[in-house]
Amino acid sequence: MLRIYAILTGQSAGVISSVFRIILMPLSWVYGLAMMARNYFYDRKILTSLNLDCGVISVGNIVAGGTGKTPIVIWLAKHFRNSGYRVAIILRGYKRKAKSETGIVSDGTKTLLSPEESGDEAFMIALELPEIPVLVSKNRYKAGIEAIRKWKTQVIILDDGFQHQQLKRDLDIVVIDSTRPFGNGQMLPAGILREPKRSLQRVDLLLLTHTNSISNLSQIRSKIETIAGQKTIFESQYHPTKLYKLGDPQDLSLESLKNQRILLVCGIGNPRTFVHTVEGYQPSHLELMAFSDHYQYRRKDILRIQRRASIMKADIIVTTQKDEQKLRLYADQLLILVLAIEVRFLPEHGRSIKDMLNLYARTCLPL
């Protein structure tokens, strides 16, 4: 899995990587043409976007896999809630076991669906934001109508909404992982681009994540500015906030990671950022077991994890909040710790983005 990821993100060179990409290039051309045609139809109003009677903010990306959208969604929701607005979050609910077209994961007072019925990210957000309604649906417009009807929602935040042009938004935010902005530069499936890079020209705001993980940030910014034009770009980093045992919310010291032999287990889009985060606590030895994004763990995977931990003589097994609920079923078989993170902006960027959001709220949101 990591080998394929390295090829698609441009981190792996050599003959095998080149052959792999060449084989997939015809499919990428077909996919790219389809995306360009779709964007053209929306740009020319041949296809029209539907309007909701509230503010709509999309947080999305231009590549497949993790860029760090979900912590940004949580940060935005907290900002608007703390500013006195009624907020709802809508996700597609990737890989959820749907019983209905629209699912209410949380009504802002309690969680109503299981992790399997919600999807991992939606359930995680519902736990993190218990006072904010969270919905899942492939039809974001219908879900938005439901949110307005039930809670008189003033602002809806779309998680992974950049490609969902069926719903009109007032603010289009794209999140870019600064450690691999465009992968190898190719469209899916030969690369990780979900649409052409020039699509960034239609965004309102760009957020760079993991900026503390690279040394050539100014070059990355310059490259993005060349493609996107004069867009506002903010920089952010992810920092651990707490560490706790799976199934036990009591906090442990983050310093307990220091000088330990650690096995990392995750099914996220960009596992290397997880590695970089834990490396900051100076473990004596670190190994990674990376599964595919949104992976549903099974009994045989738990046995593999146990064997790997035994072979490397691991002191601690650590996973992410995204993986937490899918591993919870095996909490009695596996001693595992969960590392929680949050997004933080540089001080001057944090003030600027809050000023911009407050201006948006005054001019665009219903009272």
Side-chain angles (χ1 to χ4, degrees), residues 192 197 232 332:
I192 59 173
K197 288 180 280 188
T232 302
D332 60 335

Side-chain angles (χ1 to χ4, degrees), residues 151-164:
W151 303 290
K152 296 183 172 57
T153 300
Q154 294 168 291
V155 56
I156 286 173
I157 300 173
L158 301 180
D159 185 305
D160 198 17
F162 188 54
Q163 283 73 38
H164 193 82

Side-chain angles (χ1 to χ4, degrees), residues 90 93 126 178 251 350 366:
I90 299 177
S178 58
D251 289 359

Side-chain angles (χ1 to χ4, degrees), residues 4 7 30 33 95 144 199 204 231 242 290 306 328 347 356:
I4 295 174
I7 293 172
V30 173
L33 287 171
K95 287 191 175 181
S199 298
D204 301 303
K231 303 293 182 182
K242 58 183 177 180
Q306 289 172 330
R328 185 179 288 273
M356 180 178 289

